[in-house]
Amino acid sequence: MGPGEHLAILSRAVKMLFTLSRGYILCTIFKAVLSSASRYVPIYFSARLLDAILYGAPAGVVARYAGLTVGLGFLLNLLLTWVSVAGEVWEDRLYLERDWMFSEKGMGMEYSSTENHGVALLLSRIREESNSGYNLFFLYNSLAAGIGHVTSIVFSTSLLVSFFTLGGVGTTTKLGMVAGILTILVCGILCTAQENKINVEFFHKNVNVNIMTGKYRRLAGDYSAGMEIRLYGMEKKIVSGRAEAEMEFYHNCMERNKKGVRFLVPGIVLTHLLKFCLYLVLIAAALSGAVSVGSIAKYVACIMLLLEAVSGLVSASQRLCSNNYYLKRFFSYFDIPNDMYQGSLTVEKRLDNEYYVEFVDVSFRYPGAGSYALRHVNLRFRVGEKLAVVGMNGSGKTTFIKLLCRLYDPTEGEILLNGVDIRKYDYDEYMSIFSVVFQDFSLFSFTLGQNVAAAKEYDEERAVTALRRAGFGERLDAMPEGTETYLYKDYSAQGVEVSGGEAQKIAIARALYKDAPFIVLDEPTAALDPVSEYEVYSKFNELSGEHTAIYISHRLASCRFCDNIVVFDAGQIVQHGSHEALLAQECGKYHELWDAQAQYYVSA
Ligand code: ADP
């Protein structure tokens, strides 16, 4: 990474920090300056106080210096405490803002990106790297530390000016002191560079270890996996997996500490050597009267603080550069584009409900997949029509719906809504015309009403109507809190567990509540037997009224009430027509599947 890139990343990160919390960054900087200043007040005034006592100054002067030493120290400490407390409040807010920033990005991401393994890996890496030390917030501390060190350098050098102008200390001695300071600084820079390298290596090694530990930790606490874990005796595997990962972390720590310790020793030895020489020079100067006794401690402390500040500054800048590699990855997550949002056309609101959708030679391959999931699909249907999509598992039915709802864009061909490519429509508006109940639908651990409305605020009457229409009425009446009842126990101890069948009714109620022109049922009934599935589908057909309803099933009998049935096979539409017409084609796929499944619906 070149200096230009380092600077660009730094400036982007600083801007982001300011946007996240201006208050916190200002508090942190102010705190760094104050705490650095608070170290010099006692050094300066106690030297004055000591000299005043030793050299027989009037009692008033002694009292003034004593007052200033204690009083200023007290004031600075009071201010520091206030800034620290304010900083903690801002810090909590900052973490919230950071979490929202991640959530917003995750929610606004294309569906294909959320499914992408590389993106998932990138996100867990960023999370784990944050836990390992390198992150956006590391920058706050480094910047604040840097500002604190600069403040110390300014204070130290201004207090040391008088040392270098002292008449009683020879020029060679002074030059010797400067040489000593420089040697320690160079040694510090080299050692910190090595230490930094060891730390980067350590953080790098631990990313995967942390990801693994986190996964095991979550698995152990995941109550939805609790039954399988107990029934199949997986406890040992989970505990030993976690222990293995944690031991690896422990070994990495040991190795880092062993390697790092030798780079700490030279700095300590040289600093103490310089301190010793400095005391000798200053005591000799004090004995000859060239320097006051009070100044001995002042000069020694200032030189030590100067050394600490300069090496701190160097180390902070080295760590900032290492952190930039992390920040680069961090920003690459936020830079993942969302091409879905490029369209701007509004979806025409037609009173006559005359919408039609057309697939024109559509082919699709999942990102990273070797073969096509859909091949040359051509189909046209109107709003108000009932369409059934049937075919064996894996034949491409769900993929067809994902493309229709723009969860993915076709690899080849186009999908038209009223003759316009759906990519040209505003994405949110286009999405709003679909209600889909997927096979693996999700319910959230929020209230029943919020699940039905898929929103925080909901219209209770509408939610209750949708739930009753979906066949959830009786269960709803048995719930003491009605639509305010929480599902599951994640957010409420009174949360209720719902069965697979009940969950499916809630998911259907969600589709009814949305009241979108297109309603899709993608085998959300997988838990039901074929006869019950048929009942749900034909009941839903009555409920869907004027809307376009698309039914997907690998069970042909469930969709036989539809006049418009398309048959998928290996990603292609192989037949299209009514149940009777398709069954009449004895060599067709529909006939073959019907025969194979006949045993299920003899009584249906
Ligand atoms: P159906 O709904 O008819 O059971 P799908 O549309 O789910 O079939 O799947 C069609 C093909 O696409 C299958 O071969 C399946 O393995 C593949 N497929 C489905 N989802 C993904 C995915 N996210 N990534 C890669 N391949 C997928």
Side-chain angles (χ1 to χ4, degrees):
M1 204 188 280
E5 201 180 351
H6 271 295
L7 275 179
I9 292 178
L10 254 183
S11 87
R12 182 174 173 186
V14 171
K15 266 187 219 146
M16 189 179 253
L17 288 182
F18 263 101
T19 336
L20 281 178
S21 176
R22 195 176 292 267
Y24 182 68
I25 201 165
L26 292 176
C27 269
T28 317
I29 292 170
F30 194 38
K31 192 173 142 191
V33 173
L34 273 180
S35 62
S36 156
S38 68
R39 299 168 84 178
Y40 288 89
V41 167
I43 292 175
Y44 179 76
F45 285 104
S46 53
R48 284 297 181 89
L49 179 63
L50 195 63
D51 286 346
I53 298 167
L54 281 175
Y55 302 114
V61 175
V62 174
R64 194 171 71 223
Y65 283 135
L68 279 170
T69 312
V70 178
L72 281 177
F74 167 73
L75 277 180
L76 281 171
N77 263 314
L78 213 60
L79 253 175
L80 247 176
T81 312
W82 180 77
V83 175
S84 304
V85 172
E88 274 167 30
V89 177
W90 284 110
E91 194 177 2
D92 289 341
R93 172 88 198 178
L94 175 78
Y95 285 115
L96 279 181
E97 295 278 352
R98 190 252 336 241
D99 291 346
W100 288 337
M101 189 171 78
F102 269 106
S103 305
E104 256 174 34
K105 177 67 193 172
M107 295 281 160
M109 211 179 252
E110 271 178 27
Y111 180 71
S112 60
S113 303
T114 62
E115 261 200 340
N116 185 306
H117 177 65
V119 173
L121 208 65
L122 176 68
L123 188 58
S124 9
R125 241 196 115 140
I126 291 172
R127 292 234 159 95
E128 292 314 326
E129 278 172 337
S130 303
N131 294 339
S132 316
Y134 283 117
N135 56 50
L136 187 65
F137 303 106
F138 174 81
L139 202 62
Y140 271 116
N141 300 329
S142 299
L143 283 180
I147 291 169
H149 293 317
V150 171
T151 316
S152 290
I153 292 170
V154 171
F155 277 114
S156 287
T157 29
S158 46
L159 291 180
L160 281 172
V161 171
S162 55
F163 172 77
F164 288 99
T165 52
L166 280 178
V169 182
T171 315
T172 328
T173 314
K174 284 177 190 163
L175 286 178
M177 287 296 141
V178 174
I181 293 174
L182 289 178
T183 313
I184 293 177
L185 287 181
V186 172
C187 167
I189 291 169
L190 295 177
C191 288
T192 346
Q194 289 306 317
E195 246 189 286
N196 200 35
K197 228 163 100 184
I198 295 168
N199 276 333
V200 171
E201 201 183 302
F202 169 75
F203 292 140
H204 186 74
K205 260 189 192 167
N206 282 331
V207 170
N208 285 338
V209 178
N210 285 342
I211 291 178
M212 292 310 287
T213 320
K215 281 186 180 164
Y216 279 118
R217 201 180 307 130
R218 277 192 293 280
L219 193 57
D222 178 6
Y223 86 103
S224 60
M227 281 199 293
E228 272 85 357
I229 292 175
R230 279 158 190 78
L231 275 170
Y232 292 98
M234 290 163 73
E235 299 92 332
K236 274 195 194 132
K237 157 87 190 103
I238 294 170
V239 171
S240 69
R242 183 174 168 180
E244 246 171 61
E246 280 171 353
M247 278 313 278
E248 195 177 336
F249 177 76
Y250 169 75
H251 284 301
N252 288 343
C253 282
M254 287 285 280
E255 197 188 346
R256 189 254 313 250
N257 292 352
K258 267 191 222 159
K259 277 187 189 167
V261 74
R262 59 197 144 125
F263 295 106
L264 295 175
V265 179
I268 298 174
V269 172
L270 285 177
T271 312
H272 282 82
L273 206 63
L274 179 77
K275 208 174 183 176
F276 179 66
C277 297
L278 208 59
Y279 269 117
L280 289 185
V281 170
L282 286 168
I283 289 167
L287 289 177
S288 69
V291 79
S292 71
V293 175
S295 300
I296 298 179
K298 182 181 81 178
Y299 289 135
V300 173
C302 282
I303 290 183
M304 290 302 127
L305 287 177
L306 178 70
L307 283 175
E308 191 187 298
V310 177
S311 63
L313 196 63
V314 172
S315 144
S317 16
Q318 280 171 344
R319 273 193 275 151
L320 268 185
C321 289
S322 308
N323 193 45
N324 276 353
Y325 290 94
Y326 161 79
L327 288 176
K328 190 175 176 179
R329 204 163 12 251
F330 175 86
F331 288 133
S332 72
Y333 174 74
F334 285 89
D335 290 340
I336 294 172
N338 188 339
D339 294 331
M340 293 288 183
Y341 281 98
Q342 282 173 3
S344 57
L345 282 184
T346 49
V347 175
E348 198 185 355
K349 303 270 181 296
R350 297 186 64 127
L351 290 175
D352 57 4
N353 233 4
E354 271 303 310
Y355 295 99
Y356 75 89
V357 172
E358 191 171 4
F359 275 59
V360 185
D361 203 22
V362 169
S363 296
F364 178 71
R365 200 168 51 195
Y366 280 96
S371 56
Y372 279 85
L374 285 186
R375 212 64 182 117
H376 304 299
V377 172
N378 288 289
L379 183 71
R380 183 182 159 119
F381 55 94
R382 269 189 322 102
V383 159
E385 268 181 354
K386 313 289 175 192
L387 177 76
V389 179
V390 299
M392 286 177 15
N393 281 333
S395 57
K397 303 180 299 293
T398 301
T399 308
F400 166 76
I401 294 304
K402 285 180 179 168
L403 291 187
L404 174 67
C405 304
R406 269 208 90 192
L407 290 177
Y408 293 95
D409 281 333
T411 314
E412 289 154 29
E414 54 182 6
I415 304 167
L416 310 174
L417 171 70
N418 290 354
V420 177
D421 190 326
I422 59 172
R423 281 175 278 215
K424 296 199 174 129
Y425 289 106
D426 174 272
Y427 187 61
D428 291 333
E429 264 208 37
Y430 181 76
M431 292 289 257
S432 71
I433 65 172
F434 293 97
S435 275
V436 186
V437 189
F438 279 111
Q439 212 171 66
D440 48 356
F441 60 83
S442 298
L443 293 184
F444 305 99
S445 307
F446 304 145
T447 66
L448 178 62
Q450 288 171 339
N451 266 285
V452 172
K456 192 167 183 294
E457 307 297 335
Y458 64 94
D459 178 336
E460 193 186 343
E461 210 181 303
R462 243 176 88 197
V464 169
T465 312
L467 283 163
R468 292 200 189 286
R469 287 175 72 201
F472 195 79
E474 257 181 53
R475 182 75 172 91
L476 177 67
D477 293 336
M479 289 180 159
E481 306 275 332
T483 52
E484 279 298 288
T485 309
Y486 270 88
L487 298 187
Y488 315 117
K489 305 216 181 285
D490 297 292
Y491 298 118
S492 164
Q494 277 77 46
V496 295
E497 295 295 324
V498 284
S499 70
E502 287 166 346
Q504 164 235 320
K505 285 176 184 164
I506 298 172
I508 291 180
R510 179 152 68 198
L512 292 173
Y513 183 98
K514 190 173 174 187
D515 198 26
F518 287 81
I519 302 180
V520 184
L521 290 193
D522 180 6
E523 298 193 279
T525 44
L528 300 183
D529 59 74
V531 177
S532 314
E533 180 179 281
Y534 174 69
E535 279 165 13
V536 170
Y537 273 35
S538 41
K539 183 170 170 245
F540 196 81
N541 200 38
E542 289 164 37
L543 295 177
S544 61
E546 298 286 284
H547 299 92
T548 302
I550 304 177
Y551 302 97
I552 298 173
S553 185
H554 66 283
R555 294 161 175 167
L556 308 199
S558 300
C559 302
R560 63 178 190 253
F561 58 81
C562 267
D563 288 337
N564 202 1
I565 302 174
V566 286
V567 185
F568 271 79
D569 186 34
Q572 299 197 349
I573 294 182
V574 289
Q575 280 181 295
H576 191 175
S578 68
H579 170 70
E580 286 71 24
L582 290 172
L583 207 55
Q585 297 169 23
E586 290 191 6
C587 300
K589 188 78 192 169
Y590 191 85
H591 195 280
E592 179 196 324
L593 290 173
W594 183 265
D595 274 352
Q597 295 177 2
Q599 43 166 327
Y600 297 123
Y601 42 78
V602 170
S603 59

